[in-house]
Amino acid sequence: MKLRQLLIYCLCLVVGAMFADAAAAERRVALIVGNSAYKNASTLSNTINDATAIAALFKSIGFEVVISRNDLGVVEFKRTVREFLITAENADMAVVYYAGHGIEISGTNYLIPVDARLSRDYDVEDEAISLDRIIWALQPVRRLRLILLDACRDNPFAAKLRSAGRTPARGGLAKLDEVGADTLVAYAAKAGSISYDGDGVNSPYAIALLRHLAEPDVDIRITLGRVRDAVIAMTGGRQEPFIYGSLGGATISLVPNTTRVAPAPPVAAAPAPPPASVPTPPKPVVVSPAPAPPTVNAMVPKPPLPAQAAPQTVDPCVRDEARLARLRANPAPEEIVNFQREVACARLRPQVQRLFESFAGDTALPSGGNPAPQTVPKQQAQNESVRSEDTCARDIARLLSMRAEPTLEAITKFEKDLGCERLRSQLRRLRESVTP
């Protein structure tokens, strides 16, 4: 009986190890597209910031391949989708994120390249990328196909296309009736409604994704539900994200926790006492055991103790890099202060400290983007009043945009062009925050 229980316990350990290895070997890929500089439609202010931050997030959580493209024309867009189709053929999990213009014509949704020319309804087949094409491209993916669309804006071509026969929707995308198994398509706003760009460097939908997508071991359906709640809260109920598709009963998360707790062994029954070698008296006779071995039980091998839960194996640097990327994309002084206290990755502490310092000076900007009140010497105040408010407003906007994806080259150029001197210390600290 004991041997059988030990064999069952060992089998459980082997099966658990096999599942852990399978989770660790899971292949995850992502395609990120941000379109902003439209030639024949309105330019979008923060789609590049959104796409850049989302791409950095997927890299930080260990996706094997992250293809990131911005401002794609018709030909480049179609080639990129074809390239990703090949990349995703043997993947367990594939994610597509698109930020840009999207339109709906007669129930079909289209993503719009930056050089699209749409004057008749039939132009859309040649000038745009249908959402069905993206869904079809992900069919070889084995476990999860996820499409995130921050494209539910006003249709900039509605006036041109209305007279062509098929009336396009004024804003938003159409609902999806057929999506396919193991596929989720998440809209930034439910069908027929529009999404908002927000007042900061990222849209409300992108901010919510950056907050929740990197949470380990959380089912993707729960994650997207939290994204929905966050967007509704940020927009005062004006924008409600929506999800189409279905998954099975297993938990599927973008950041799986590969730590497995060994199953507890079956509880062994107490061994029966050895039969007495003398006739049974009216009362039990207690026979004293020999000095060695001390007891009968001591000669029976004890089953292994239940394994304790293994410590979290997620690399703290991976987690902190994702958090740092989110804060750069959507800087909030209060969150930066908390992060400065909680950062666990030693090599990131100087960058977090410098990011904190870029907000902590006398000229620090609050999360809303307006200069904080400050006390300066009288002569400095007089000098500041002479400077053009337009110049400072322009430099403030440029600094906020640069925080989303700071590079040494861009910061160095900005330092040469800077016209608002009160921002120079912040810009210097921002440069230091990206220097390892």
Side-chain angles (χ1 to χ4, degrees):
M1 188 66 179
K2 290 274 189 161
L3 180 60
R4 181 182 178 185
Q5 292 168 347
L6 289 175
L7 289 175
I8 293 174
Y9 174 66
C10 293
L11 180 61
C12 290
L13 289 178
V14 172
V15 172
M18 290 174 61
F19 277 110
D21 291 341
E26 208 171 47
R27 186 166 183 266
R28 298 172 296 162
V29 298
L31 170 63
I32 314 297
V33 176
N35 280 352
S36 171
Y38 284 90
K39 299 178 181 178
N40 302 297
S42 56
T43 299
L44 300 175
S45 59
N46 56 12
T47 51
I48 300 299
N49 294 336
D50 295 341
T52 301
I54 294 292
L57 177 66
F58 279 112
K59 291 176 183 177
S60 71
I61 61 177
F63 268 56
E64 180 179 330
V65 178
V66 179
I67 299 175
S68 180
R69 300 286 187 271
N70 294 327
D71 287 334
L72 293 180
V74 176
V75 176
E76 293 86 356
F77 207 151
K78 291 181 178 180
R79 286 177 177 171
T80 298
V81 171
R82 184 177 63 190
E83 175 187 351
F84 190 64
L85 182 153
I86 297 172
T87 300
E89 277 183 346
N90 298 316
D92 298 282
M93 186 179 298
V95 180
V96 173
Y97 171 83
Y98 172 76
H101 278 305
I103 66 173
E104 176 255 316
I105 297 180
S106 298
T108 302
N109 299 303
Y110 297 91
L111 311 183
I112 308 302
V114 294
D115 60 353
R117 297 180 180 180
L118 300 176
S119 57
R120 293 291 186 271
D121 55 356
Y122 51 75
D123 291 340
V124 75
E125 301 295 339
D126 298 322
E127 297 288 322
I129 311 297
S130 73
L131 177 57
D132 293 339
R133 181 187 182 97
I134 306 291
I135 295 175
W136 175 79
L138 299 184
Q139 290 309 301
V141 178
R142 290 188 284 263
R143 192 158 179 251
L144 172 65
R145 307 154 195 152
L146 176 62
I147 301 174
L148 305 168
L149 297 177
D150 197 353
C152 309
R153 295 172 171 84
D154 279 324
N155 181 356
F157 303 97
K160 299 178 182 178
L161 296 174
R162 185 175 293 112
S163 62
R166 295 185 292 174
T167 303
R170 182 70 197 176
L173 300 176
K175 66 179 183 180
L176 298 174
D177 296 324
E178 297 292 336
V179 175
D182 302 320
T183 302
L184 294 180
V185 179
Y187 288 0
K190 63 183 179 181
S193 63
I194 63 172
S195 60
Y196 297 90
D197 289 328
D199 299 325
V201 296
N202 295 110
S203 71
Y205 189 59
I207 292 172
L209 291 174
L210 291 168
R211 286 179 183 172
H212 296 290
L213 283 181
E215 295 175 351
D217 224 20
V218 178
D219 186 85
I220 185 61
R221 287 158 289 197
I222 300 297
T223 296
L224 293 177
R226 293 174 180 174
V227 169
R228 169 194 173 275
D229 294 344
V231 172
I232 290 176
M234 281 186 282
T235 62
R238 294 178 299 163
Q239 179 179 334
E240 179 186 358
F242 209 85
I243 305 168
Y244 299 91
S246 65
L247 300 179
T251 297
I252 301 178
S253 67
L254 294 183
V255 188
N257 182 356
T258 56
T259 302
R260 291 293 184 269
V261 179
V267 178
S277 59
V278 296
T280 305
K283 293 183 179 181
V285 177
V286 178
V287 180
S288 299
T295 63
V296 175
N297 286 341
M299 300 178 65
V300 180
K302 294 183 179 180
L305 292 175
Q308 299 298 319
Q312 179 64 261
T313 59
V314 176
D315 187 349
C317 287
V318 172
R319 182 189 62 232
D320 288 346
E321 283 175 353
R323 189 172 177 185
L324 181 58
R326 291 197 299 272
L327 286 176
R328 281 177 175 159
N330 184 40
E334 297 83 1
E335 294 188 23
I336 294 174
V337 171
N338 292 335
F339 187 26
Q340 186 188 28
R341 292 196 299 262
E342 299 166 1
V343 61
C345 183
R347 64 180 172 83
L348 292 181
R349 286 173 186 163
Q351 298 182 52
V352 176
Q353 175 65 25
R354 291 163 189 158
L355 182 62
F356 167 76
E357 291 172 355
S358 73
F359 281 90
D362 289 337
T363 59
L365 293 177
S367 59
N370 297 318
Q374 51 186 309
T375 303
V376 296
K378 182 177 180 181
Q379 183 60 43
Q380 182 179 349
Q382 292 174 349
N383 292 340
E384 283 292 320
S385 65
V386 176
R387 292 197 171 278
S388 168
E389 289 302 323
D390 290 340
T391 300
C392 283
R394 181 200 63 203
D395 288 347
I396 289 171
R398 186 173 176 184
L399 177 60
L400 289 173
S401 178
M402 186 169 293
R403 289 187 197 277
E405 185 64 20
T407 64
L408 286 176
E409 181 181 359
I411 294 172
T412 301
K413 185 177 185 304
F414 189 15
E415 286 179 323
K416 295 179 181 178
D417 301 338
L418 185 67
C420 188
E421 285 299 321
R422 71 174 186 233
L423 299 180
R424 191 168 297 280
S425 61
Q426 295 183 57
L427 191 57
R428 183 182 68 253
R429 290 168 183 152
L430 181 61
R431 171 167 49 79
E432 294 171 350
S433 75
V434 299
T435 304

